[in-house]
Amino acid sequence: GENVEQHPSTLSVQEGDSAVIKCTYSDSASNYFPWYKQELGKRPQLIIDIRSNVGEKKDQRIAVTLNKTAKHFSLHITETQPEDSAVYFCAASPTKLIFGTGTRLQVFP
Amino acid sequence: NAGVTQTPKFQVLKTGQSMTLQCAQDMNHNSMYWYRQDPGMGLRLIYYSASEGTTDKGEVPNGYNVSRLNKREFSLRLESAAPSQTSVYFCASSESGGFSGNTIYFGEGSWLTVV
């Protein structure tokens, strides 16, 4: 079955810096890669997703890149702000959506 | 539009007790899911229902049963709770097609402690 690995598990950045979170997946049949943000005590919420026929997608300060050959995808957050502090989960879907173990991002003012 | 609503929000159970987590969505979604979230483990799929009348096992189904009561409701039952089932449980739904790229919307979570 699909296996999704996510790194790093924690990430601390200064406000205004960029943050990058990386995920790898094992099943070459995976074709959908969403990213979820979860604030403390809250539900996970979709922030951006990418499908296998696209290499990059951008939405304001966040972007996701996908390398199907290497089976990895990344989340990029530019100009980080304190409200970006949260746990971020990647996921991959061949037939079932499998989540990574999460990255705790802390943005210090 | 409440989205995905699950109850109870908090529950403490004794080992061996049974309970049912209730979930309902008002978005007319076809697919519904139950995940559990444990520290350092991410979100793991317990069971899902791709459409009304069908249910399938996810990654960690042991110790759980589900019922897709109708299109709106999908319940999760613990028949004999164990401390290993202490977790945060999330119900979720998506428009259709299982995991074919439709956004999955999560409920607010149910914190379950088994002592």
Side-chain angles (χ1 to χ4, degrees):
Chain A
E2 177 63 280
N3 182 49
V4 178
E5 294 191 359
Q6 182 171 349
H7 300 280
S9 56
T10 60
L11 180 59
S12 296
V13 300
Q14 204 76 31
E15 183 178 0
D17 287 349
S18 295
V20 180
I21 302 170
K22 299 181 179 181
C23 289
T24 59
Y25 61 99
S26 60
D27 192 336
S28 57
S30 287
N31 55 16
Y32 175 60
F33 307 91
W35 285 88
Y36 281 79
K37 175 183 179 182
Q38 186 178 29
E39 296 176 355
L40 190 63
K42 301 288 181 68
R43 74 187 85 190
Q45 293 193 293
L46 180 74
I47 55 170
I48 194 166
D49 57 13
I50 191 167
R51 285 162 174 75
S52 58
N53 58 346
V54 175
E56 184 175 357
K57 184 176 178 181
K58 212 171 178 181
D59 183 4
Q60 298 183 343
R61 294 187 298 108
I62 60 173
V64 57
T65 59
L66 171 65
N67 183 327
K68 284 201 69 182
T69 304
K71 294 206 209 75
H72 67 70
F73 56 114
S74 301
L75 178 71
H76 304 253
I77 306 174
T78 59
E79 300 172 25
T80 53
Q81 300 168 4
E83 52 264 39
D84 293 328
S85 296
V87 179
Y88 292 81
F89 292 97
C90 64
S93 171
T95 56
K96 300 174 188 176
L97 196 62
I98 304 299
F99 283 83
T101 50
T103 297
R104 182 173 298 279
L105 174 65
Q106 290 182 299
V107 181
F108 292 99
Chain B
N1 237 1
V4 180
T5 304
Q6 53 183 110
T7 57
K9 195 166 176 70
F10 300 98
Q11 183 73 49
V12 179
L13 282 179
K14 292 183 179 177
T15 298
Q17 285 185 320
S18 62
M19 77 158 297
T20 299
L21 297 173
Q22 307 284 357
C23 176
Q25 51 90 9
D26 62 4
M27 296 177 281
N28 201 35
H29 285 170
N30 288 302
S31 301
M32 297 186 73
Y33 318 87
W34 277 104
Y35 285 90
R36 61 177 287 175
Q37 185 174 32
D38 303 292
M41 301 289 287
L43 291 147
R44 293 182 293 169
L45 182 64
I46 305 171
Y47 270 93
Y48 68 103
S49 172
S51 61
E52 187 179 356
T54 68
T55 60
D56 285 287
K57 294 179 180 179
E59 303 169 80
V60 289
N62 291 346
Y64 305 95
N65 283 301
V66 291
S67 296
R68 183 75 183 266
L69 304 168
N70 48 56
K71 190 173 184 179
R72 289 187 64 247
E73 298 173 288
F74 188 40
S75 63
L76 178 72
R77 183 160 179 83
L78 287 69
E79 290 292 350
S80 179
S84 60
Q85 294 178 304
T86 294
S87 189
V88 183
Y89 291 85
F90 286 97
C91 179
S93 70
S94 66
E95 187 176 324
S96 64
F99 301 95
S100 61
N102 293 295
T103 300
I104 291 182
Y105 297 89
F106 287 87
E108 291 187 320
S110 296
W111 274 254
L112 177 64
T113 301
V114 183
V115 297

